[in-house]
Amino acid sequence: MFVFGDSVFDPGNNNFLNNFLNISVAQGKANFPPYGETFFRYPTGRFCDGRIIPDFSASFTGLPPWRPYLDRANHNLVVGANFAGAGACVFVENNPYALNLQIQLGFFKEVVNLLTQQLGDTDTKKLLREAIYISSLGGVDYMLFADSSSNVTEPAMQEYVNIVIGNITEAMKEIYELGRRKFAFQSVGPLGCLPWMRAIYNSTGECVEFLQILATMHNNALAKAAEELEIKLSGFKYLIFDFFTSLMDRTNKPKKYGFKVGDNACCGGGAYHGATACGWLTEEYELCSDPNEFVFWDAAHPTKHCYSQLAQLLWNGMGNVTWPLNMKQLYDLDIDTEVYSQDIDLIDVV
């Protein structure tokens, strides 16, 4: 499994940005308490109190939680790598100090070369052809777009979404052309309902409508783009995980899913605990007594307990949550057999 994404998937790569980019991006890190308190018992760099979706997905296949790719020590690249970094954008210019999509693609190409040296060309191609490539991208681009735009029209939003999706599609094509076939796309979450966005844009506490529209536009375009790729690219298999609706349901109806609080974050300060950061040394913050009662851990990220539920939906959820396959079905899929079967079908048609 190879993981691309932003803070929702970051296992702590941003901890190493000082060395990699020769800068200090303190606010793009979660390497201080109380992050990590309920599982790892120390801050790993994950924007959560414990494990995140890629960690749970790894556990379903018998693997331990992800190590950051930039932690170069003791990597077992045969099982994959996690390249995600908080603040990562599809557009480099949106946040030049983050591990943006093109940088993460560069990391993946490094891994291909390292595995080829270790295993040889044939075994590396087989391993990478059967691997899953999971991504969660675009959310930061849209939040920055909203921050820089006032009175933006829906046509302008759609135009921006189309450019973001176009760049993601080109990146996935690049991975595909290297012989990779299994892709898992996580939709952008309900950006307008994050405690952070509610605190900034809407004092009444309602979800921020134009951010919700942007997220919905993105998710619709992502699903369409993935469907088109499957038609055009032989052997391309994918899933879409509806992170937006799954998280939104828990935000709106927390008690239905075993939570007590759906709008406020467990850790943070100000309105909805979304106005100031969790644990940041120069800001005052409050910490709840039981994160398992909360949907959100901090101003923009769910708790470990919420992520565990969402990861289960991704792994074996029904077609209303993850489609046309779930993660387990994609994981179990024999690509070589599938492609052979498709070729036979085409011959029969001819």
Side-chain angles (χ1 to χ4, degrees):
M1 188 184 307
F2 293 90
V3 184
F4 303 81
D6 51 30
S7 58
V8 176
F9 280 4
D10 183 4
N13 278 307
N14 274 23
N15 292 352
F16 301 88
L17 283 186
N18 293 37
N19 295 329
F20 180 72
L21 294 176
N22 196 32
I23 57 170
S24 176
V25 191
Q27 288 183 306
K29 300 179 182 180
N31 57 350
F32 44 82
Y35 285 97
E37 66 169 23
T38 63
F39 181 81
F40 300 98
R41 308 300 178 188
Y42 67 93
T44 63
R46 289 166 173 80
F47 284 78
C48 186
D49 58 309
R51 287 180 291 178
I52 54 179
I53 286 176
D55 295 322
F56 288 107
S57 297
S59 73
F60 297 146
T61 68
L63 297 176
W66 290 103
R67 296 173 63 90
Y69 176 68
L70 290 180
D71 181 3
R72 305 288 189 174
N74 302 316
H75 265 307
N76 180 12
L77 297 176
V78 171
V79 302
N82 187 328
F83 312 119
C89 292
V90 175
F91 296 131
V92 174
E93 56 269 26
N94 279 346
N95 190 1
Y97 303 119
L99 300 176
N100 294 302
L101 178 55
Q102 288 303 314
I103 292 176
Q104 294 182 36
L105 278 176
F107 290 160
F108 173 64
K109 293 174 183 177
E110 284 181 2
V111 169
V112 173
N113 291 332
L114 290 169
L115 285 172
T116 302
Q117 294 171 23
Q118 178 183 348
L119 304 176
D121 188 58
T122 300
D123 287 347
T124 296
K125 285 181 177 178
K126 178 174 174 55
L127 184 154
L128 296 177
R129 188 167 61 250
E130 291 295 331
I132 292 176
Y133 302 83
I134 183 169
S135 60
S136 174
L137 292 158
V140 181
D141 292 275
Y142 297 123
M143 286 189 284
L144 291 172
F145 175 76
D147 187 53
S148 64
S149 306
S150 59
N151 300 320
V152 63
T153 64
E154 286 201 20
M157 287 192 282
Q158 188 64 65
E159 181 181 2
Y160 188 76
V161 166
N162 291 343
I163 299 172
V164 170
I165 293 296
N167 278 264
I168 292 175
T169 300
E170 289 304 310
M172 296 307 111
K173 284 182 180 177
E174 191 171 345
I175 293 173
Y176 171 88
E177 288 166 1
L178 291 169
R180 320 315 164 214
R181 295 296 181 263
K182 298 181 181 182
F183 294 82
F185 300 101
Q186 178 167 294
S187 71
V188 166
L191 302 176
C193 298
L194 300 178
W196 181 23
M197 296 297 102
R198 281 177 161 169
I200 291 176
Y201 289 104
N202 202 323
S203 60
T204 66
E206 298 297 322
C207 295
V208 183
E209 184 178 7
F210 72 94
L211 280 170
Q212 293 292 84
I213 292 172
L214 270 171
T216 300
M217 285 179 171
H218 171 93
N219 296 336
N220 291 340
L222 178 65
K224 182 179 179 182
E227 184 177 350
E228 290 175 352
L229 287 174
E230 185 178 42
I231 294 170
K232 294 176 181 177
L233 305 178
S234 175
F236 181 96
K237 293 297 175 183
Y238 76 97
L239 69 81
I240 299 286
F241 172 50
D242 192 354
F243 182 63
F244 180 98
T245 302
S246 300
L247 183 54
M248 187 76 179
D249 285 348
R250 285 156 178 78
T251 302
N252 289 337
K253 303 172 185 175
K255 293 182 180 179
K256 178 180 177 181
Y257 298 97
F259 302 97
K260 290 185 178 180
V261 182
D263 50 0
N264 284 19
C266 168
C267 183
Y272 311 103
H273 283 176
T276 58
C278 169
W280 187 237
L281 297 177
T282 59
E283 296 179 321
E284 294 184 2
Y285 71 96
E286 297 177 350
L287 178 64
C288 70
S289 59
D290 185 0
N292 288 338
E293 296 179 347
F294 285 70
V295 172
F296 288 100
W297 162 249
D298 66 9
H301 308 94
T303 57
K304 173 199 70 178
H305 185 48
C306 183
Y307 274 142
S308 71
Q309 294 184 6
L310 300 179
Q312 194 68 55
L313 292 175
L314 168 62
W315 180 250
N316 59 12
M318 303 297 285
N320 61 327
V321 178
T322 173
W323 68 86
L325 303 168
N326 60 38
M327 190 89 153
K328 185 178 188 305
Q329 291 168 332
L330 190 64
Y331 179 78
D332 290 338
L333 188 65
D334 187 324
I335 284 293
D336 291 333
T337 301
E338 183 73 18
V339 172
Y340 176 77
S341 176
Q342 287 179 344
D343 289 344
I344 292 297
D345 289 342
L346 288 172
I347 291 171
D348 289 343
V349 170
V350 174

